[in-house]
Amino acid sequence: MKYICTKCKKTEEITSIKAKCYCGGLWKLDFIPPKFDTKLIHKDTWGLFRYREFMPITSNYWEEISLGEGMTPIIQFDEDLMLKMDYFMPTLSFKDRGAAMLIAHCKSIGIQSVVQDSSGNAGNSIAAYCAKAKIECEIFVPEGTSPKKIKMIEAHNAKVNVVKGSRDNCADVCREKVDTEKKYYANHVYNPFFYEGTKTYIYEIYEQLNRIPKNIFVPLGNGTLFIGVIKGLEELLISGLIKDMPNIIAIQSEHCNPFAKAVLNKESIPSKVIPKPTIAEGIAIGVPMRGEEILEYIYKYNVEVIIAPEDKILEARHILAENGVYCEHTTAASYAAYLEYCKIKGKTSDSLISMCGAGLKSDH
Ligand SMILES: Cc1ncc(COP(=O)(O)O)c(C=O)c1O
Ligand SMILES: [Zn+2]
């Protein structure tokens, strides 16, 4: 198993600490799992490492670092809509899927210290798994990040740097440190091990329902869940367990929508946007680093890209909460976008949305 550059195809050992290729391209992992088969699931493991036969696991360190992530329930919210409760996670967001896999990898190659930038949730996740793995951790977050997320990162003994300016600027400042100080960049966007964790989202849906719903709604900022969803579905397709891809509907913020604009203009790179403040902080990504790769998937699988209307997010959060589901604003944005989609397209049965982040994490 090696890293392969997405641009020049150069390969690199997975023990490398290089965050990307010399040419600037990001790494992909040349890992082909066996055909997905429920018989190969380790049913006595109560977490996402039950799918370890299909994950790039090279050691048993996952046992040491696991916090019981994954196996989140799916609930029937109403007649048409199912919610996958991914905030039922150790650090209250779906990012634990990727962080558990990535930090298990870091531990297996002897990494002792990492840095990472995040809108909050990925930082929470990396900090918690580093704490469990006894790896030193430093997280960069943009100003305006929910104070609760910052407190949580600090509680796991990670150092927090609050960076002035946008989420994109925060990533630039962190990457500068990676370059100049040769730090390990445990980043959810750059490091392909992360996606090998988020793809378990689809494995679980398949194992739980014994099928894949017709309409899968996914938030799309940097695309860590989106790419995981595509990977998982492609694996099910290759394994012959599904005949076609379902309808995939990606959700962007009305105030930060480089993919929605690119699709509208049939472009192959994300459009330049000037992000406006949004309460959907988790998807406020103006410069998604895997933009071209994501757009290739969007065109390949006819993914629809829709917008969460900013003025409908609080109302959507309220409806969910009134029905017992207390999620964070970025997650309510997905529901707001779903309601808008139904308004335009009509009743959309057999739909599934991820409840990515917990309500206690965001105050706006
Ligand atoms: C709650 C929540 N939902 C969705 C996302 C979007 O994930 P991504 O940027 O990987 O597309 C994030 C990212 O931080 C998040 O925190
Ligand atoms: Zn390259």
Side-chain angles (χ1 to χ4, degrees):
M1 183 168 49
K2 293 211 171 177
Y3 289 139
I4 306 180
C5 172
T6 48
K7 275 197 181 148
C8 74
K9 309 291 177 234
K10 182 183 173 303
T11 61
E12 178 75 26
E13 300 300 325
I14 55 162
T15 47
S16 171
I17 68 156
K18 284 188 203 117
K20 60 182 179 187
C21 180
Y22 289 114
C23 81
L26 299 191
W27 303 126
K28 267 194 167 183
L29 206 58
D30 82 337
F31 167 69
I32 300 174
K35 284 191 174 175
F36 192 82
D37 181 343
T38 50
K39 288 195 211 72
L40 293 178
I41 298 171
H42 293 268
K43 298 219 164 88
D44 52 354
T45 302
W46 295 92
L48 58 78
F49 288 104
R50 69 204 264 105
Y51 305 112
R52 59 188 175 274
E53 294 304 319
F54 314 103
M55 297 164 80
I57 302 280
T58 51
S59 71
N60 284 338
Y61 280 114
W62 65 268
E63 287 175 296
E64 256 176 58
I65 65 99
S66 177
L67 293 165
E69 55 291 321
M71 294 191 81
T72 60
I74 294 173
I75 61 169
Q76 194 73 44
F77 186 67
D78 60 27
E79 189 187 12
D80 299 320
L81 181 64
M82 287 172 278
L83 305 179
K84 181 144 172 73
M85 304 304 288
D86 255 25
Y87 69 69
F88 292 16
M89 286 274 187
T91 78
L92 313 181
S93 92
F94 80 95
K95 302 279 185 188
D96 291 349
R97 294 186 183 279
M101 178 66 240
L102 175 54
I103 301 304
H105 168 65
C106 288
K107 193 76 188 164
S108 73
I109 61 168
I111 299 296
Q112 290 176 351
S113 144
V114 306
V115 295
Q116 148 80 319
D117 52 82
S118 158
S119 66
N121 280 333
N124 284 168
S125 227
I126 294 290
Y129 285 91
C130 280
K132 185 80 171 23
K134 302 278 171 282
I135 292 175
E136 204 179 84
C137 178
E138 184 172 352
I139 307 284
F140 291 71
V141 295
E143 63 180 347
T145 297
S146 298
K148 284 177 183 163
K149 293 182 183 175
I150 294 178
K151 276 201 178 135
M152 193 167 158
I153 296 170
E154 287 170 339
H156 294 308
N157 272 346
K159 183 170 178 224
V160 181
N161 298 298
V162 180
V163 182
K164 280 205 164 47
S166 67
R167 167 73 184 89
D168 298 307
N169 180 57
C170 167
D172 288 342
V173 171
C174 181
R175 283 176 207 138
E176 174 111 23
K177 179 158 183 135
V178 170
D179 290 342
T180 53
E181 297 182 24
K182 303 282 172 271
K183 288 279 189 179
Y184 192 89
Y185 193 31
N187 180 267
H188 51 301
V189 188
Y190 272 48
N191 197 303
F193 277 93
F194 201 90
Y195 306 102
E196 298 293 330
T198 55
K199 73 181 186 184
T200 61
Y201 179 74
I202 289 294
Y203 294 166
E204 279 178 24
I205 295 171
Y206 184 78
E207 190 188 358
Q208 287 164 324
L209 301 178
N210 205 21
R211 67 182 187 94
I212 292 294
K214 215 161 130 194
N215 303 291
I216 306 279
F217 288 78
V218 201
L220 177 58
N222 263 315
T224 59
L225 184 60
F226 178 84
I227 293 176
V229 161
I230 297 281
K231 268 182 167 296
L233 289 169
E234 282 183 335
E235 289 177 21
L236 295 187
L237 207 57
I238 289 168
S239 309
L241 297 176
I242 56 173
K243 295 223 158 24
D244 303 295
M245 287 296 243
N247 299 324
I248 305 167
I249 303 111
I251 299 154
Q252 292 231 277
S253 155
E254 183 185 2
H255 288 180
C256 186
N257 50 12
F259 289 110
K261 282 204 169 138
V263 169
L264 211 59
N265 300 324
K266 300 193 170 51
E267 280 165 349
S268 59
I269 53 169
S271 298
K272 286 206 166 47
V273 292
I274 299 167
K276 284 196 276 171
T278 167
I279 54 173
E281 62 189 7
I283 49 172
I285 309 295
V287 189
M289 296 313 290
R290 290 192 184 262
E292 284 175 55
E293 194 179 323
I294 289 169
L295 276 166
E296 272 174 33
Y297 286 137
I298 286 176
Y299 294 125
K300 182 169 181 189
Y301 296 118
N302 294 318
V303 173
E304 288 178 83
V305 184
I306 62 167
I307 291 299
E310 190 72 20
D311 63 352
K312 297 281 171 55
I313 297 175
L314 288 179
E315 192 184 319
R317 191 176 192 233
H318 192 61
I319 300 170
L320 289 164
E322 276 184 330
N323 287 283
V325 177
Y326 192 51
C327 66
E328 74 168 89
H329 293 77
T330 303
T331 296
S334 289
Y335 183 55
Y338 165 79
L339 291 177
E340 196 67 12
Y341 185 85
C342 294
K343 215 193 257 173
I344 298 164
K345 300 247 175 162
K347 188 174 159 70
T348 309
S349 309
D350 199 16
S351 294
L352 184 137
I353 299 185
S354 170
M355 290 290 104
C356 283
L360 285 177
K361 281 191 153 199
S362 63
D363 293 316
H364 284 282

Short mmCIF file of all heavy atoms in Angstrom, two decimals, residues 5 8 21 23, ligand 2:
data_model
loop_
_atom_site.label_atom_id
_atom_site.label_comp_id
_atom_site.label_asym_id
_atom_site.label_seq_id
_atom_site.Cartn_x
_atom_site.Cartn_y
_atom_site.Cartn_z
N CYS A 5 0.26 10.31 -5.92
CA CYS A 5 -0.08 11.72 -6.14
C CYS A 5 -1.26 11.81 -7.12
O CYS A 5 -1.25 11.17 -8.17
CB CYS A 5 1.12 12.48 -6.67
SG CYS A 5 0.71 14.15 -7.17
N CYS A 8 0.63 13.98 -10.40
CA CYS A 8 1.72 13.46 -11.26
C CYS A 8 1.89 11.95 -11.14
O CYS A 8 2.75 11.37 -11.80
CB CYS A 8 3.02 14.18 -10.95
SG CYS A 8 3.76 13.67 -9.39
N CYS A 21 2.51 15.82 -2.31
CA CYS A 21 3.61 15.55 -3.25
C CYS A 21 4.42 16.82 -3.52
O CYS A 21 3.91 17.93 -3.33
CB CYS A 21 2.97 15.03 -4.54
SG CYS A 21 4.15 14.65 -5.84
N CYS A 23 4.98 18.09 -6.27
CA CYS A 23 4.33 18.86 -7.33
C CYS A 23 3.11 19.63 -6.81
O CYS A 23 2.48 20.37 -7.55
CB CYS A 23 3.92 17.93 -8.48
SG CYS A 23 2.38 17.06 -8.18
ZN ZN B 2 2.81 14.88 -7.70
#
